[in-house]
Amino acid sequence: MADFSGNLLANDSSRNLSLKPNVLKPRLQKQDNEDVLRHLGKNKLVKKMKLIQLLLVLILGNLMKPIWGHKYGVPGEQPLSKIGILKATYAIHSSAWIRASPSRLGLKGEDTDWVTVNLMRPNPHEDDWIGVFSPANFNSSICPPESGQDLKPYICSAPIKYNFANYSTSNYTKTGKASLKFQLINQRADFSFALFSGGLSNPNLVAVSNYISFANPKAPLYPRLALGKSWDEMTVTWTSGYDINEAVPFVEWGMKGGSQLRSPAGTLTFRRNSMCGSPARTVGWRDPGFIHTSFLKELWPNTLYTYKMGHLLSNGKYVWSKTYSFKSTPYPGQNSLQRVIIFGDMGKAERDGSNEYNMYQPGSLNTTDQLIKDLKNIDIVFHIGDISYANGYISQWDQFTSQIEPIASRVPYMIASGNHERDWPGTGSFYNGMSSGGECGVVAETMFYVPAENRAKFWYSTDYGMFHFCIADTEHDWREGTEQYNFIEKCLASADRQKQPWLIFAAHRVLGYSSDKYYALEGSFEEPMGRESLQKLWQKYKVDMAFFGHVHNYERTCPIYQNQCVNNEVSHFSGVVNGTIHVVAGGGGSQLSEFSTLNTSWSLYKDYDYGFVKLTAFNHSSLLFEYKKSSDGKVYDSFTISRDYRDVLACVHDGCAPTTLAY
């Protein structure tokens, strides 16, 4: 049964296709359509009208097929992309003005500060807006060849944020006067504010403000911790304005209250010509500064350390960051309380109300704030793809690292690669979408450390006490016979389940199960070709849970194998590991995704809201799973697992070790 919106309906149990999972096996789209029609055609209760409705849905589905892959990857999701900055015209008005204060920010070492912008314009209009530019002298920019601009004057760099002139002044269109507040972060350059008329699509530059800047624009900022390649190693990555020929980067660290060590840091950056396309290579380009990574080694397990980033200048003086702290990881297999956060697709948001688009602000900020609020009860975070949604506007990565700094500076912040980090045509990504806005993986691979052998291939394994994690990269081919498939099998096989009983698989796109509306219309309830190669590995190595993002909602399945639930429990699982629980946790902050109206038999809980997952391992036999909403931090779905080591060893279908009759 179907409605005209294109959703399969499930209120008629006699036609609930999910009760017969094999009916919807993923195949080529043409074969899917034929199978569904054949199944419905045999049901005598199906009326002709309903069949016609379904035909309309399937025809529409085939027409939409080329764009479905971009449903969660539209470049326009970045609010700065709405600005037609290359169309900007020079229309300075002698009676219009805009002023910003204070002119000096961060006088006490702060890396963020509030600025008041006052303005006046004759003949005001409701679509007048203010753009924040950094560097401040945006008019003197040299446009790259890709801009296609031949006439001057013009602007060839997008603002780092914007807001409408009437945002906080309701009578602006009557008086022509307005006052706004912007929150700025230290981004290694000065700032100016520009007043535009003509709306976002046809901007006319009316007035430009005075310049303002931070007291120390090059300061070391926004540390993000990550696990190293060995259990007793923590990495610290940060951003500064100091190249290695200006200052030597390092981290000073040690046990809290103890003697301090110094570890050197490596320095990376990237240039405009490292980007693969526009806007990253054109209007979205902004110098990223320098990204430094230091490796703190031979850490004692479960020990509190303090650290601060430093730069030794050529004149012998030091520039220091604030002092931070972290707790080192437990030894692999160590029996202690261990708490893990998992979510995807959070993106960045603005606390001053600027750059609002598709309701990003509530979800992203609420998720961030809930994690900060509960940070003392969190040991490690996994953000499984679609990190900042910068989409080629490089300035937004600074904004994102600033947003998560209270979290990432205290606990390891591990990321996975998503389509918004990697995908660009002709660059080796598995998908030919344009979701990265031309970044083609370069920015994420440089801004964040992960313990991968090659960060351009963003798959890796890592341990945290009783957990063993296998993180896949869905933007590269994962199918059987590929390099990544071999890695996944090796990672899963390497888990010592007696010491690390909790085996977790995570990736961005849904390689498992999802009731997402678009996956349902494709007939597969997964990323096409998603689980066909991998489900036998999950079963063979008895993976406890598989986590995915990409679909912006929350969903949990039963323990499942080959479309069939293998356990009838809902809130407590015990005994033999005979299937994997699949979890979509893509509600970190981006615009929410609709569910199909078809009620799949394997789906135990759905939530069309923002949220995240928390795993708590109490010991080798007991684990608690919780799904929390970002709006209030309360638990809305949960279950427990209780089992012994022999339950992991037990023989299950397609998960039996070979045996012999010999004694």
Side-chain angles (χ1 to χ4, degrees), residues 86 143-151 154 282:
L86 293 179
C143 292
E146 288 91 339
S147 70
Q149 297 290 295
D150 298 318
L151 302 175
Y154 51 81
T282 56

Side-chain angles (χ1 to χ4, degrees), residues 61 65 90 101 168 303 374 412 421 438 456 470 476 479 487 524 571 589 602 605 652-653:
K65 179 77 172 177
Y90 190 79
S101 62
S168 55
T303 301
D374 196 40
E421 285 74 59
C470 297
H476 287 90
R479 294 172 297 175
F487 157 78
S524 60
S571 60
W602 36 259
Y605 192 98
V652 299
H653 181 65

Side-chain angles (χ1 to χ4, degrees), residues 127-154:
D127 63 1
D128 293 348
W129 59 280
I130 299 98
V132 184
F133 287 85
S134 181
N137 191 16
F138 59 90
N139 251 349
S140 63
S141 300
I142 299 174
C143 292
E146 288 91 339
S147 70
Q149 297 290 295
D150 298 318
L151 302 175
K152 293 183 180 182
Y154 51 81

